[in-house]
């Protein structure tokens, strides 16, 4: 699923008119080969066209339909150097550059916005050099006073660059460059919150910043996708600005997608990106965000741009998560122990139950399981915490697997348990016949019910077998258990 975002790259090119595009470009010193035309897409650079360099050193990119606006680039034949151009509504222009000094050598004829953009780039490059010099000075500053002075200069350079963008916006409203610079803006805090005096000030400053983070940015303007900064701005909002609690994230992405609906390509981008981000989320519980997407957009037939295999992966994940959310009652498991006696998860009487899905042939499990046992024996067992350990290998076995193979697997499993003295655990497994019976009865497998896609996988259940935590390591589970008991004693 790491490749799922690639699907969004099939976004169709918007057609503004039938004029098409014609960009004549040179890139000294090249006089043969091909130049390439591409555009930014988040952290990627996508080449969309190529043109042969003629005897005058010029390559001409042409197309019958206009390109979607954004920040594009011309790439040299070796594909290791490029210079940028704006693709606004006027897409008939000439651009020249010299690889010896790309920033200062670029000249553009026939595009007023590109002239403005070029001038900004040149000034910005000068300021960047100043910042590099000041940063080096700051690193070697001898006194605190020197550091304060240098930091003030750095702030001044940054402010001057910000002021330059604001001036460009005011002087060129309703242009692509104004749209892009608006998207680059950070909310400007009122003076009273720039140096908060107490927690209330900090809180007010935060809510002001969050409220104005997307000012002057349209979620229906797909030109923003063809920039190197929009996705970074979105990632910052999701990872640093909003509360990471699943309910907060769900609310945020829900309104972003809602506002994007007027543009099918922006809708496609956001749904795809959020699917990719929360398919295997960074924080526990955020798989609820993926479940929201699955139920609201996938099950309602609003997503039709993925391959059959991608849809299969998404569906499998979605259905696995439906009864697998924090606070839900965990699915009961009725499996066999090492003596082939039935052991039901629901019959366990304990304040907490740790469910472990593991595999003795898994290298990581062979390292982690003894560590889990150490914590169990020294801490959990004393508090009457149960440990229900499921052999994942038995869940993978084909329904037609012979008892001979099952016998070998079971013997290896029991040997590992015996060798590492995993005493006091409730060790369980599933026979091929049990698995086949579940399949015939259309009962989801334990792997599906508990969303087991790697081993070991740990769950923490309360006394009523509701999911307290999942997909954490044993140290995090232990920390949470200690926290729970501490709260119970207060």
């Amino acid at each position: 699923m790491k490749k799922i975002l690639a699907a969004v790259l099939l976004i169709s090119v918007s057609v503004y008119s039938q004029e098409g595009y014609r960009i004549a470009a040179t890139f000294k010193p090249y006089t043969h080969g091909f130049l390439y035309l591409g555009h930014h897409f988040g952290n990627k650079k996508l080449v969309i066209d190529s043109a042969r360099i003629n005897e005058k050193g010029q390559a001409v990119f042409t197309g019958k339909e206009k390109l979607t606006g954004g920040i594009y680039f011309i790439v040299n034949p070796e594909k290791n150097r490029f210079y940028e151009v704006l693709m606004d509504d006027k897409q008939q222009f000439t651009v020249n550059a010299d690889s010896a000094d790309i920033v200062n050598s670029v000249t553009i004829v026939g595009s007023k916005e590109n002239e403005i953009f070029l001038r900004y780039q040149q000034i910005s490059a000068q300021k960047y050099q100043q910042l590099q010099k000041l940063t080096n000075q700051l690193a070697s500053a001898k006194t605190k006073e020197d550091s304060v002075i240098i930091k003030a200069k750095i702030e001044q350079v940054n402010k001057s660059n910000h002021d330059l963008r604001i001036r460009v916006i005011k002087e060129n409203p309703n242009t692509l460059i104004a749209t892009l610079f608006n998207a680059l803006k950070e909310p400007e805090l009122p003076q009273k919150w720039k140096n908060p005096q107490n927690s209330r000030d900090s809180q007010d400053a935060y809510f002001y910043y969050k409220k104005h983070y997307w000012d002057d940015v349209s979620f229906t303007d797909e030109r923003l996708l063809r920039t190197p900064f929009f996705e970074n701005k979105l990632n910052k909002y999701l990872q640093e600005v909003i509360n990471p609690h699943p309910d907060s994230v769900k609310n945020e992405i829900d309104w972003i997608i809602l506002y994007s609906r007027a543009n099918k390509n922006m809708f496609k981008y956001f749904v795809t990106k959020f699917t990719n981000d929360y398919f295997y989320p960074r924080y526990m519980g955020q798989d609820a965000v993926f479940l929201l997407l699955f139920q609201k957009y996938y099950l309602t037939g609003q997503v039709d741009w993925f391959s059959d295999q991608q849809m299969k992966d998404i569906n499998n994940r979605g259905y696995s998560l439906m009864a697998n959310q924090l606070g839900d009652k965990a699915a009961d498991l009725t499996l066999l122990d090492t003596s082939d006696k039935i052991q039901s998860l629901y019959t366990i009487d304990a304040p907490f139950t740790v469910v472990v899905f593991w595999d003795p042939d898994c290298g990581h499990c062979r390292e982690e399981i003894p560590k889990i046992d150490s914590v169990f024996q020294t801490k959990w067992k004393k508090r009457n915490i149960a440990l229900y350990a499921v052999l994942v290998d038995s869940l993978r076995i084909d329904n037609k697997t012979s008892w001979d193979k099952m016998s070998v697997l079971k013997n290896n499993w029991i040997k590992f348990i015996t060798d590492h003295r995993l005493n006091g655990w409730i060790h369980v497994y599933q026979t091929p016949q049990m698995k086949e019976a579940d399949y015939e009865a259309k009962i989801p497998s334990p792997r599906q019910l508990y969303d087991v896609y790697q081993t070991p996988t740990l769950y923490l259940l309360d006394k009523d077998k509701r999911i307290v935590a999942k997909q954490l390591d044993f140290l995090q589970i232990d920390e949470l258990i200690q926290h729970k008991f501490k709260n119970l004693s207060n």
Side-chain angles (χ1 to χ4, degrees):
M1 292 303 299
K2 291 294 184 183
K3 298 180 180 178
I4 195 171
L5 190 58
V8 81
L9 303 183
L10 298 177
I11 287 178
S12 58
V13 175
S14 297
V15 181
Y16 295 138
S17 71
Q18 296 302 315
E19 294 178 12
Y21 66 91
R22 186 183 187 281
I23 297 102
T26 65
F27 203 156
K28 293 180 180 178
Y30 300 101
T31 57
H32 64 276
F34 287 84
L35 294 186
Y36 301 91
L37 177 67
H39 63 73
H40 294 278
F41 193 93
N43 294 322
K44 299 179 177 63
K45 295 180 177 66
L46 306 179
V47 172
I48 62 167
D49 199 358
S50 63
R52 185 181 292 277
I53 302 171
N54 61 26
E55 65 278 2
K56 296 180 181 179
Q58 186 179 75
V60 181
F61 302 99
T62 60
K64 294 181 179 179
E65 297 177 350
K66 280 194 172 182
L67 300 171
T68 302
I71 300 178
Y72 284 62
F73 47 79
I74 310 295
V75 188
N76 67 353
E78 288 85 9
K79 296 184 181 179
N80 58 13
R81 304 204 73 187
F82 66 90
Y83 57 89
E84 293 179 328
V85 295
L86 278 189
M87 201 64 67
D88 61 353
D89 193 45
K90 298 185 182 302
Q91 299 182 8
Q92 313 272 335
F93 57 86
T94 299
V95 56
N96 303 301
D98 191 328
S99 59
D101 184 4
I102 292 178
V103 173
N104 296 307
S105 68
V106 177
T107 59
I108 296 177
V109 177
S111 173
K112 181 180 178 181
E113 279 208 50
N114 266 299
E115 292 175 10
I116 299 169
F117 181 60
L118 176 60
R119 180 58 183 157
Y120 167 78
Q121 284 183 303
Q122 291 170 342
I123 296 175
S124 185
Q126 293 172 3
K127 295 182 183 299
Y128 178 72
Q129 291 175 352
Q130 293 176 29
L131 285 174
Q132 281 188 313
K133 184 178 179 180
L134 289 169
T135 301
N136 292 335
Q137 291 176 3
L138 182 61
S140 59
K142 303 295 185 182
T143 67
K144 183 178 179 180
E145 289 75 14
D146 289 342
S147 296
V148 170
I149 294 172
I150 296 170
K151 286 180 180 178
K153 290 181 179 179
I154 291 175
E155 185 176 345
Q156 184 178 12
V157 174
N158 284 327
K159 184 179 184 303
S160 67
N161 208 31
H162 169 267
D163 292 345
L164 172 60
R165 289 197 295 267
I166 297 301
R167 186 167 70 250
V168 171
I169 292 171
K170 289 180 179 179
E171 293 174 354
N172 304 276
N174 305 315
T175 62
L176 172 59
I177 195 166
T179 297
L180 299 183
F181 284 176
N182 273 323
L184 276 170
K185 285 191 304 186
E186 286 276 303
E188 181 71 21
L189 290 176
Q191 189 62 41
K192 61 180 179 179
W193 291 328
K194 287 184 178 180
N195 295 297
Q197 302 300 310
N198 50 52
S199 59
R200 179 59 185 271
D201 284 350
S202 297
Q203 187 179 54
D204 289 344
Y206 163 73
F207 283 114
Y208 181 92
Y209 183 87
K210 179 177 178 293
K211 180 180 179 180
H212 294 281
Y213 190 85
W214 294 112
D215 283 359
D216 302 315
V217 177
S218 171
F219 291 133
T220 62
D221 191 343
E222 66 180 286
R223 296 177 301 179
L224 295 174
L225 299 182
R226 288 159 176 77
T227 69
F229 56 80
F230 177 73
E231 188 165 301
N232 290 334
K233 184 180 179 79
L234 178 60
N235 287 338
K236 179 180 178 180
Y237 186 71
L238 295 172
Q239 297 169 15
E240 300 177 23
V241 178
I242 67 173
N243 188 321
H245 189 280
D247 288 343
S248 297
V249 180
K250 287 195 294 184
N251 289 336
E252 294 292 338
I253 70 164
D254 207 24
W255 73 261
I256 289 175
I257 293 175
L258 176 65
Y259 276 89
S260 75
R261 297 298 297 257
N263 184 302
K264 65 179 182 180
N265 288 333
M266 290 294 276
F267 172 73
K268 181 188 293 187
Y269 166 78
F270 285 121
V271 171
T272 301
K273 175 175 170 53
F274 296 148
T275 297
N276 188 63
D277 286 352
Y278 298 102
F279 193 85
Y280 293 126
R282 301 173 66 193
Y283 300 108
M284 182 182 71
Q286 284 189 347
D287 51 16
V289 180
F290 171 80
L291 186 58
L292 167 73
L293 296 169
F294 179 68
Q295 293 175 319
K296 191 165 185 176
Y297 300 107
Y298 290 88
L299 291 184
T300 56
Q302 299 181 55
V303 178
D304 60 1
W305 54 84
F306 292 116
S307 68
D308 290 343
Q309 183 58 53
Q310 287 171 328
M311 285 304 299
K312 181 179 178 181
D313 292 339
I314 290 169
N315 285 326
N316 287 342
R317 180 89 175 122
Y319 285 119
S320 293
L321 293 173
M322 277 190 169
N324 192 257
Q325 295 300 293
L326 296 180
D328 288 350
K329 194 163 185 178
D332 192 14
L333 297 175
T334 304
L335 303 172
L336 300 180
D337 64 16
T338 55
S339 300
D340 288 334
K341 293 179 181 179
I342 291 177
Q343 296 287 347
S344 171
L345 177 62
Y346 275 16
T347 61
I348 296 173
D349 183 16
F352 293 101
T353 302
V354 178
V355 182
V356 184
F357 293 87
W358 69 289
D359 172 2
D361 292 328
C362 155
H364 190 49
C365 291
R366 296 177 71 87
E367 293 180 6
E368 294 294 298
I369 293 301
K371 295 177 184 177
I372 294 173
D373 181 62
S374 178
V375 176
F376 174 70
Q377 301 296 343
T378 58
K379 291 184 179 182
W380 299 350
K381 199 172 182 179
K382 296 176 183 177
R383 292 185 178 273
N384 196 32
I385 295 171
L387 215 168
Y388 191 84
V390 183
L391 174 61
V392 174
D393 253 356
S394 69
L395 307 181
R396 292 196 187 103
I397 290 179
D398 185 79
N399 298 345
K400 307 300 182 182
T401 300
S402 69
W403 271 107
D404 290 341
K405 187 172 181 179
M406 185 68 236
S407 178
V408 172
L409 171 60
K410 183 180 176 183
N411 288 337
N412 291 339
W413 171 54
I414 293 176
K415 184 178 186 302
F416 188 94
I417 293 171
T418 302
D419 290 348
H420 291 83
R421 299 178 182 177
L422 305 181
N423 302 320
W425 299 39
I426 302 171
H427 296 283
V428 293
Y429 77 107
Q430 184 181 49
T431 67
Q433 287 72 17
M434 293 168 67
K435 181 178 178 181
E436 186 170 8
D438 284 351
Y439 179 80
E440 293 295 331
K442 297 184 179 179
I443 299 173
S445 71
R447 285 174 63 86
Q448 292 173 310
L449 291 170
Y450 282 80
D451 187 33
V452 180
Y453 55 87
Q454 62 184 5
T455 53
T457 291
L458 278 68
Y459 278 71
L460 178 63
L461 313 181
D462 66 13
K463 62 183 179 63
D464 298 317
K465 303 302 179 286
R466 295 192 178 278
I467 300 173
V468 177
K470 60 179 183 174
Q471 312 290 356
L472 298 180
D473 63 38
F474 73 94
L475 291 175
Q476 293 169 317
I477 292 285
D478 179 58
E479 184 179 351
L480 186 54
I481 288 173
Q482 305 311 318
H483 177 73
K484 292 289 184 182
F485 274 110
K486 183 178 180 180
N487 286 345
L488 288 173
S489 63
N490 291 337

